[in-house]
Amino acid sequence: MGIGCEILGNNQNGQSTKENNNGDFSWMSPNPVTGYTASMPDNKAPSAVSEEPPEAAEESLVKNGDSGGLKKSVGLVSGTAMIVGTMIGSGIFISPKGVLEGTGSVGFSLIIWTACGVLSTLGALSYAELGTSIPRSGGEHAYLMYAFGSGTRRIGTVLAFIYDWMGIFILRPIMFSVMCLSLGTYTVKPFFPTCVEPPEMPVKLVTVLAMLLLAAINIYSVKMATSLQNITTVTKLIAIMIVTIGGIYKIASGQTQYIGEGFEDTREDPSLIAIAFYNGLWAYDGWNNLNFITEELKQPEKNLPRAIMLGIPLTTVAYVLANVGFMAVMSKEEILISRIVAVRWAGHMLGVMAWVMPVFVVLSCLGSANGTIFATGRLCYASARDGHFPSILSYIQVKRRTPMPSILFTLIISILTIIPSDLSTLIDFYSFCMWLSYGATMVALLYLRYKEPNLHRPYKVPIFIPVIVLIMSVYLVVSPIIQTGRVTFFYAILFIISGLFVYFPFVYYKLKVPKTDAVYRFFQIMFQVAPPHHD
């Protein structure tokens, strides 16, 4: 079996399977247990599943090579918590320093934080149209495939594969790793109070343990993962509320010497402003995570845009208020020398209770990391289901109805990314690659408006919104290259090109790897996983 299942091929009766007129695919899913390949159209589900008792149904699912698909278990509240809980991570407690470095003034930094929130909202509203009109998990992967791909010989499959290549091996694992590393750092730091930086080994040990815990939760139960997301989202909002109330108290008591500086020392260097945007947008990243789990969202045509309209403005208000709280208590100079702005703020305002802020930061990182692995597992699942990676990664655990293989694969890649002592190079081109993919997705939306004007769109965004996001995407991709000329972006381009050396032999020409069926049979029996059908 090659890297990816066949999209065009023959079923057990020698009949060809191919894309239907609506753009849906009948995916070829190998079934090592029964020894044949079962063709399962997206809109067909075996009726026997609902007629058997649970135990017999599970046994039948494994025997017949059908997991029953992912379960719709994410509602409006959990969806909103997924957005807010993933976006509010360690960024708001650290990024104020980076934004202030780029802007130079209190007033301009607050404008940048607001602008980043507006841009994220516009991007998410555009994604809401795509997510409701193309209700498939996988985010950008699904939209690029639908808009530009047909079979295996259209440019869309190349674009989607390149996105998968970046997302699965670099972008998503980096997000997960950085959040868990932050968690590990803030967990270990109190045990080494005299050290400027805690020792690397215990930090990475705690980081790996956190990764294993979150992977186990996401494999065991979607409900447990979403409950964790809901709880940690509440704790994050409490932490931001504490910072906000502390800042308002300072202002109300007449201590406005810091916040009152306004636009003093504002920088005008475009490259520095771009850095400020990158730092702010890093804190907002995760606004598209709900699009990765569309197939598990209840009533996605309603709940996807609603969750976006609730979650991102709430996060924007929280971020701006938190920055007001920081800048009312601390001077610009103190913020710029602070590694963890929130912890230093707590030292000023909370006295003996200052220890609660590091706890809140740890819980914040935990929630963001949980949301990230939840969404990343679905990207891996969707790309494997569509033939871009080994189809075993699209299998579902038949008892838990969770994408167990894809979560385990994400876990392994993420652990590998923390082995180097310095992740800065990877983080440097994270935003470059992300906004490249956002720009491509906006092109897909605009193309579908032209190609399929009658496509059913339960939510339709005004056309100027994706145009604005596309223009900003081009700026955020091109501007750093022109203004800095850093070799980091050259590395990013090389990595993107390297994906073509995998795509053409294994996806385009369907090169097979010997003995793959035996490996699939082993994992299918050991983990009780089976290929999905798609509702």
Side-chain angles (χ1 to χ4, degrees):
M1 186 67 191
I3 295 185
C5 57
E6 295 184 9
I7 297 176
L8 296 176
N10 298 323
N11 62 16
Q12 62 268 31
N13 297 319
Q15 297 171 326
S16 175
T17 59
K18 59 183 179 180
E19 182 185 6
N20 64 28
N21 293 331
N22 296 322
D24 295 327
F25 292 87
S26 298
W27 303 109
M28 303 297 292
S29 301
N31 187 345
V33 173
T34 57
Y36 64 85
T37 300
S39 175
M40 295 174 292
D42 287 1
N43 60 347
K44 301 294 182 182
S47 59
V49 174
S50 60
E51 298 172 357
E52 298 180 63
E55 294 80 4
E58 289 169 4
E59 182 179 356
S60 175
L61 288 172
V62 175
K63 288 181 179 179
N64 293 322
D66 184 1
S67 68
L70 296 172
K71 185 178 180 181
K72 290 184 178 293
S73 55
V74 181
L76 177 60
V77 173
S78 295
T80 304
M82 176 67 65
I83 293 174
V84 176
T86 305
M87 290 172 68
I88 303 178
S90 60
I92 184 56
F93 305 111
I94 299 173
S95 292
K97 172 184 176 181
V99 175
L100 191 56
E101 281 179 337
T103 58
S105 69
V106 172
F108 195 24
S109 67
L110 292 178
I111 290 176
I112 292 294
W113 279 103
T114 304
C116 289
V118 171
L119 181 58
S120 298
T121 302
L122 296 180
L125 291 175
S126 301
Y127 272 56
E129 175 177 324
L130 290 167
T132 53
S133 56
I134 309 170
R136 293 177 69 88
S137 294
E140 291 90 345
H141 164 88
Y143 311 144
L144 292 172
M145 285 289 290
Y146 183 90
F148 303 119
S150 177
T152 59
R153 299 182 183 277
R154 297 288 182 88
I155 191 173
T157 53
V158 180
L159 294 175
F161 179 84
I162 291 300
Y163 171 76
D164 298 340
W165 180 252
M166 293 189 302
I168 291 173
F169 286 102
I170 293 294
L171 299 179
R172 309 300 296 189
I174 286 178
M175 284 185 67
F176 185 54
S177 298
V178 169
M179 291 168 185
C180 288
L181 277 171
S182 298
L183 183 154
T185 300
Y186 304 138
T187 301
V188 171
K189 183 66 171 71
F191 297 97
F192 299 90
T194 60
C195 298
V196 177
E197 297 284 348
E200 184 178 298
M201 188 57 66
V203 168
K204 290 190 175 181
L205 178 60
V206 173
T207 298
V208 172
L209 290 176
M211 289 178 168
L212 293 172
L213 173 64
L214 291 172
I217 290 172
N218 279 269
I219 288 171
Y220 182 77
S221 169
V222 171
K223 183 177 181 180
M224 184 180 293
T226 54
S227 296
L228 175 62
Q229 199 68 22
N230 296 343
I231 293 169
T232 54
T233 297
V234 171
T235 62
K236 297 173 186 189
L237 294 176
I238 292 173
I240 289 177
M241 184 175 65
I242 291 172
V243 172
T244 301
I245 292 174
I248 292 174
Y249 170 78
K250 279 283 190 180
I251 294 172
S253 63
Q255 301 181 48
T256 59
Q257 65 272 30
Y258 301 138
I259 196 76
E261 291 182 7
F263 291 89
E264 292 180 15
D265 303 321
T266 296
R267 299 181 186 275
E268 298 180 358
D269 186 339
S271 63
L272 293 177
I273 295 173
I275 291 173
F277 259 108
Y278 272 134
N279 278 277
L281 290 170
W282 167 261
Y284 278 98
D285 207 49
W287 51 262
N288 62 331
N289 267 4
L290 201 57
N291 291 73
F292 287 92
I293 62 169
T294 305
E295 292 171 29
E296 294 168 85
L297 187 63
K298 299 174 184 177
Q299 296 183 298
E301 68 283 354
K302 295 180 180 179
N303 287 333
L304 180 59
R306 287 175 181 174
I308 288 169
M309 292 174 185
L310 287 172
I312 301 180
L314 174 61
T315 304
T316 303
V317 171
Y319 278 2
V320 173
L321 290 177
N323 276 277
V324 169
F326 290 137
M327 294 173 184
V329 174
M330 303 166 62
S331 67
K332 290 187 297 185
E333 293 73 21
E334 190 174 7
I335 292 175
L336 290 173
I337 64 172
S338 301
R339 289 189 63 255
I340 311 170
V341 176
V343 173
R344 186 175 284 263
W345 180 94
H348 285 291
M349 295 296 296
L350 301 182
V352 295
M353 294 298 293
W355 59 269
V356 302
M357 195 55 67
V359 173
F360 279 128
V361 173
V362 168
L363 291 175
S364 183
C365 294
L366 183 69
S368 295
N370 178 66
T372 299
I373 193 172
F374 192 100
T376 305
R378 275 62 183 178
L379 170 61
C380 187
Y381 158 83
S383 62
R385 182 180 65 184
D386 289 357
H388 288 176
F389 287 92
S391 58
I392 186 69
L393 297 179
S394 70
Y395 285 16
I396 303 297
Q397 216 290 328
V398 296
K399 293 182 180 180
R400 302 295 176 186
R401 298 283 292 277
T402 57
M404 181 180 184
S406 64
I407 292 173
L408 289 175
F409 183 77
T410 300
L411 173 67
I412 293 170
I413 298 299
S414 299
I415 290 175
L416 291 176
T417 63
I418 69 168
I419 291 177
S421 58
D422 184 13
L423 291 175
S424 59
T425 300
L426 295 179
I427 295 173
D428 280 345
F429 71 75
Y430 171 87
S431 293
F432 173 83
C433 293
M434 279 306 302
W435 282 98
L436 187 64
S437 66
Y438 293 154
T441 307
M442 293 304 104
V443 172
L445 187 153
L446 296 172
Y447 177 71
L448 285 175
R449 286 287 188 95
Y450 169 76
K451 179 185 177 184
E452 299 188 29
N454 297 322
L455 177 68
H456 177 58
R457 294 176 171 88
Y459 173 80
K460 191 172 182 179
V461 72
I463 194 67
F464 73 88
I465 289 180
V467 171
I468 291 174
V469 178
L470 176 59
I471 292 171
M472 286 301 299
S473 299
V474 173
Y475 167 74
L476 291 170
V477 168
V478 175
S479 178
I481 298 176
I482 295 176
Q483 293 170 359
T484 66
R486 294 173 62 183
V487 72
T488 301
F489 304 110
F490 176 70
Y491 293 150
I493 295 170
L494 282 181
F495 182 81
I496 292 170
I497 294 173
S498 69
L500 298 176
F501 292 95
V502 176
Y503 172 81
F504 281 104
F506 293 109
V507 179
Y508 188 88
Y509 290 109
K510 303 176 187 176
L511 180 66
K512 308 297 182 182
V513 177
K515 306 297 183 181
T516 306
D517 285 349
V519 175
Y520 283 8
R521 184 181 298 111
F522 171 77
F523 284 115
Q524 188 171 3
I525 294 172
M526 182 171 71
F527 293 121
Q528 291 290 287
V529 296
H533 73 251
H534 314 306
D535 299 325

